[in-house]
Amino acid sequence: MKHYCPCCGFSGLEAPAYRDIGAPPWTGHGPPPYCLRYGDPSYEVCSCCGFEFGNDDDPGTAHGDGFEEYRRQWVASGAGWFNPEKCPRGWSLAAQFRLAGIAPEG
């Protein structure tokens, strides 16, 4: 079973990002923290975009980033891989977004 990053659509997570998130496509995640909607986070860091589930969206006293906000910042900075060793050969951001049902602009 594949586990997808709800931020960038990467399909190589070791576990679900949140206990009850399910598979894409997703509609309207709502505001963070996402554990309120999807259950316990995995705290895994996505090898592609670097989003840490349960930390980046719920950092305690600071404002947590939503998936869309984080994704926009990541794409604007060049969409570089957090862990380049995990990047699949022939990787395409557009294809990754399409397969996960993520709109390229958000």
Side-chain angles (χ1 to χ4, degrees), residues 68-79:
E68 293 80 9
E69 178 183 347
Y70 187 96
R71 183 182 318 118
R72 275 192 291 277
Q73 293 171 13
W74 175 67
V75 169
S77 70

Side-chain angles (χ1 to χ4, degrees), residues 52-102:
E52 183 179 0
F53 315 106
N55 187 29
D56 284 326
D57 61 310
D58 190 12
T61 58
H63 168 73
D65 284 335
F67 298 136
E68 293 80 9
E69 178 183 347
Y70 187 96
R71 183 182 318 118
R72 275 192 291 277
Q73 293 171 13
W74 175 67
V75 169
S77 70
W81 274 69
F82 184 77
N83 184 349
E85 294 175 4
K86 299 277 187 163
C87 182
R89 201 169 218 191
W91 175 76
S92 162
L93 179 60
Q96 182 169 292
F97 279 179
R98 186 175 57 257
L99 290 172
I102 295 172

